[in-house]
Amino acid sequence: MVTVPTTMFVVAISGKAGAGKDSASDGLTNPMNDGLDFPWAVRIALADRLKEIARSVGWDGVKDGHGRQFLINLGDAIRGYEKAYFINYLWAAARQKLERSGFMTERRAMLLTVPDLRYYDETERIKALCDD
C-alpha cells in the first residue's frame, strides 16, 4: 500500500534560456552528479510530456526557430483544450517515480523539482495540489 508523504516540497524554477534552471534542478535531486538521484527527490520538467507528444507527430527533436515555435504552438493548443494537462501529468509522473523508488511506502518528506515553470495558472495549480 502506498501512503501519501507527510510533506511534499516542490521547487519550481522559472527563468530565461541558459539561466541554469536545469542545473539548479539537477543539483537538488543529484548533488553528486553521479547519476544516482536521492530516492526521495525527483526532477520532472513540464516540457518532458510536450516533447513526447511532439515526437509522436514527427518532431525531430531540434529546437531551432521552427522547432521551438512548433513546441510553443503545440503546448498552447494542449493547454487550450485542457488547461491543467501538463500539471496533471507532472503530478502523476512524480508520484509514479517516487512509488517506483519504494520511498513512498514510508511517511517522509519528499522533493519534486520542476525546472521549467512558465505560467501563473500552473503555479497556482501546483500550490493547490500541495494543499490537498
Side-chain angles (χ1 to χ4, degrees):
M1 178 179 172
V2 174
T3 58
V4 177
T6 54
T7 304
M8 173 71 87
F9 293 98
V10 179
V11 176
I13 304 168
S14 182
K16 295 182 186 252
K21 300 178 300 291
D22 285 315
S23 296
S25 183
D26 290 344
L28 290 168
T29 58
N30 183 3
M32 301 304 289
N33 196 25
D34 58 6
L36 302 173
D37 291 347
F38 289 131
W40 44 265
V42 64
R43 174 204 178 278
I44 300 176
L46 291 167
D48 290 348
R49 180 67 179 138
L50 176 64
K51 291 174 185 175
E52 287 174 18
I53 295 167
R55 282 189 186 93
S56 76
V57 296
W59 178 57
D60 60 7
V62 177
K63 289 198 295 184
D64 57 7
H66 181 70
R68 194 172 298 277
Q69 191 59 54
F70 172 67
L71 292 172
I72 290 168
N73 293 344
L74 180 60
D76 288 346
I78 292 168
R79 277 187 294 280
Y81 184 75
E82 174 57 51
K83 195 168 196 75
Y85 179 83
F86 292 107
I87 297 301
N88 292 339
Y89 160 80
L90 168 85
W91 212 247
R95 290 188 59 83
Q96 184 179 44
K97 282 187 175 185
L98 290 167
E99 286 170 7
R100 258 186 286 155
S101 75
F103 198 80
M104 285 187 72
T105 59
E106 302 175 27
R107 296 180 63 81
R108 300 180 185 181
M110 295 180 197
L111 173 66
L112 166 62
T113 65
V114 183
D116 60 348
L117 192 66
R118 289 181 176 85
Y119 297 99
Y120 177 78
D121 61 301
E122 292 175 340
T123 304
E124 293 303 306
R125 178 74 179 135
I126 289 174
K127 286 180 186 178
L129 287 167
C130 289
D131 289 341
D132 286 347

